[in-house]
Amino acid sequence: MNNGVLIKRVVLALSFLPLLRWLYLYHQDALGLDPALWMMESSGQTAFVMLCLTLAITPLRQLLSLPVLIWCRRPLGVMTFFYAFCHFGIWAGAERHFSFALMGQGIVERPAIVLGVIALILLAVLASTSNQGMVRKLGRRWQKLHRLVYGIAVMVSVHFVMMQRADESAMHAYIGVAVITLLLLWRVVSHLKNQRVIADKMASIHGSSEQRVVREDSHASTKMVSIQVSRKK
């Protein structure tokens, strides 16, 4: 077993700790007056935290110069979908009794739920294409597809804020959105820097090519003059 596989398994194992906590609290009858509501909020918050951790991997890898962190990104992304699906499932069961009519009504009446459902569908697409086989099959398209995570982050942030009640949990939502915003800004700045580096390299290559052409032209002109002088003699 190589280090990458070991890191992935450790991250997956640690990612199940929130689920184990839910089971323990349920067994202890410590989920509050409305266990379903508590579970729904906790699963949503856990999915949001997992998404933040997924987006934070690249900045941390660059800041700390730890390439091994890249192995954490895929399992964290998959667990983001897992907890988001739990969040949706609890909402569908506890609030809508698994009735498609009631679920459709809730989606139509609340724009925040629409964003949440769209984000969940996109997360399902990313999670289903996170294995190595799909990476090989999609090739360059895989990276483009998984850039959808940034759009998902925006939708989830809006959903998270709109669904919060006017109490202390709202502050947690704003803090989470601030973290997401910083991570997205980091990505934008990093992309612009990379584009500038590429542009500088291209300009350098273009400049070197022009200088080589000038030298070749100069050499050819000198040779022509030499030939003409030799013929005159």
Side-chain angles (χ1 to χ4, degrees):
M1 182 187 302
N2 58 43
N3 291 336
V5 174
L6 178 61
I7 291 172
K8 285 183 178 180
R9 292 184 178 181
V10 170
V11 172
L12 279 174
L14 293 175
S15 298
F16 280 106
L17 289 177
L19 178 62
L20 295 176
R21 174 173 172 263
W22 297 347
L23 295 175
Y24 173 78
L25 292 175
Y26 176 79
H27 181 72
Q28 297 294 320
D29 195 21
L31 296 179
L33 297 177
D34 191 342
L37 177 62
W38 188 93
M39 288 283 292
M40 184 171 64
E41 291 182 348
S42 181
S43 59
Q45 292 167 359
T46 303
F48 191 82
V49 170
M50 290 290 175
L51 179 60
C52 289
L53 291 174
T54 303
L55 293 174
I57 291 299
T58 298
L60 289 175
R61 179 171 60 89
Q62 294 173 352
L63 286 172
L64 303 177
S65 299
L66 289 175
V68 294
L69 288 178
I70 196 66
W71 296 103
C72 302
R73 190 164 59 187
R74 286 191 204 173
L76 286 173
V78 171
M79 294 309 294
T80 299
F81 166 71
F82 172 76
Y83 284 110
F85 185 79
C86 290
H87 179 62
F88 174 79
I90 296 169
W91 170 79
E95 287 200 357
R96 304 293 161 169
H97 310 291
F98 295 111
S99 167
F100 289 105
L102 292 177
M103 283 189 281
Q105 181 183 358
I107 291 172
V108 170
E109 291 176 351
R110 305 189 70 175
I113 297 179
V114 176
L115 291 174
V117 171
I118 294 174
L120 178 64
I121 293 172
L122 294 177
L123 281 171
V125 173
L126 299 190
S128 63
T129 57
S130 290
N131 57 80
Q132 198 61 35
M134 290 303 297
V135 174
R136 289 193 296 267
K137 184 176 181 179
L138 294 175
R140 293 183 178 180
R141 292 175 295 172
W142 185 88
Q143 190 173 15
K144 293 181 179 180
L145 175 65
H146 279 252
R147 286 174 183 164
L148 287 173
V149 70
Y150 303 113
I152 292 171
V154 174
M155 288 187 285
V156 169
S157 298
V158 176
H159 170 82
F160 196 37
V161 170
M162 292 180 68
M163 295 301 294
Q164 293 301 313
R165 300 187 305 273
D167 56 14
E168 68 277 359
S169 62
M171 181 58 66
H172 298 159
Y174 292 126
I175 293 173
V177 171
V179 172
I180 287 286
T181 302
L182 289 174
L183 292 172
L184 292 178
L185 286 174
W186 175 280
R187 178 59 185 172
V188 170
V189 172
S190 178
H191 176 72
L192 292 176
K193 286 183 177 179
N194 290 337
Q195 291 296 106
R196 184 174 180 180
V197 170
I198 293 173
D200 290 343
K201 286 183 178 179
M202 293 298 293
S204 177
I205 293 172
H206 183 67
S208 299
S209 299
E210 288 184 344
Q211 291 177 2
R212 185 169 62 253
V213 169
V214 170
R215 286 196 301 268
E216 290 175 354
D217 289 344
S218 177
H219 179 71
S221 299
T222 303
K223 189 174 182 180
M224 289 288 292
V225 172
S226 299
I227 293 173
Q228 291 175 0
V229 171
S230 299
R231 285 179 178 176
K232 288 180 180 181
K233 289 182 178 179

